[in-house]
Amino acid sequence: MPKFLCTACGVQYPESAIAPARCAVCDDPRQFVPKAGQGWTTPDKLGVDHFNAFRKVGPDLFAFSTVPRFGIGQRAFLIITSTGNVLWDCVSFLDNATIDIIRLLGGLKAIAISHPHFYSAIATWGQAFDCPVFIHEADKEWVVDPDSCFSFWMGETRDILPGIALHRLGGHFPGSSVLHWIDRQALFPGDTFLVAPDGKHVSFMWSYPNNVPLPAADVERIRSRLGGLEFNSIYSPFWERGEIDQKAKEAVERSILRHLKGPETTV
Ligand SMILES: [Zn+2]
């Protein structure tokens, strides 16, 4: 029996004879069910005409996504370190080419996920690379394809490798987490906050597709947590949003003020 993938959000469901009736992630008000209705595919069908494309986006840092675009079109990051590699966030598609490329780059010590919209096919990935998948305990209810490789972490901070830490900031989801690559002063926020198209700001939304801003109290809390982190760059989970590659902490602070006080007008 195949596992089924939601074609709208890309989240994978357990093996079954027929496709699920609904997608819990798409039914949630942070996401949406497409007007054409819920659609499903399987890993085998996806493999007929999809593949993963890689780009090197920095020293020891690769990003890749599935092409043609599938689900919400996110990219995942492969972080290369001397003590092992980490996959930050994930995609729904995994083929032998992807497995070989990542193994040639040193394999994976851990997979860590920012929030449920990127759960994608994490069970398949964790099994393929025989590594733990770190998920914050607060979002456990959103795990729809449970697996023995999942490691639910609790609290506010978790070191997963030397120099790489997860921080639960909440907001978008209760367990929404960011990855901090301490040596590189790089922050990977998932979409706890998202780089704006101007490349100079970030935005804080409870729902990005439905344009629901994050409450001020959440943004204030995130601000206080970020105060303790040194970062100079931010890598967003979508190619079209890209990076803020310098003075990112200042950009976030500027954006928080804009979120809390409203934009400065020119009139
Ligand atoms: Zn879905």
Side-chain angles (χ1 to χ4, degrees), residues 12-39:
Q12 179 172 276
Y13 286 74
E15 290 179 1
S16 62
I18 56 165
R22 311 282 307 175
C23 173
V25 175
C26 288
D27 277 342
D28 179 70
R30 278 163 284 210
Q31 195 61 26
F32 61 96
V33 176
K35 286 178 181 167
Q38 203 80 60

Side-chain angles (χ1 to χ4, degrees), residues 54 62 78 80 85 99-107:
F54 287 69
F62 295 84
L78 178 62
I80 311 288
N85 302 338
I99 291 173
D100 285 355
I101 289 166
I102 292 176
R103 283 194 180 144
L104 287 167
L105 289 165

Side-chain angles (χ1 to χ4, degrees), residues 23 42 57 79 82 89 91 102-103 116 130 138-139 168 173 179 201 207 213 217 240 247 254 257:
C23 173
T42 64
V57 292
I79 298 169
S82 59
D89 282 330
V91 301
I102 292 176
R103 283 194 180 144
D130 193 22
D139 291 342
R168 189 276 288 263
F173 276 84
L179 183 147
H201 296 83
S207 169
E240 63 270 26
K247 297 187 176 177
R254 199 161 59 233
L257 291 176

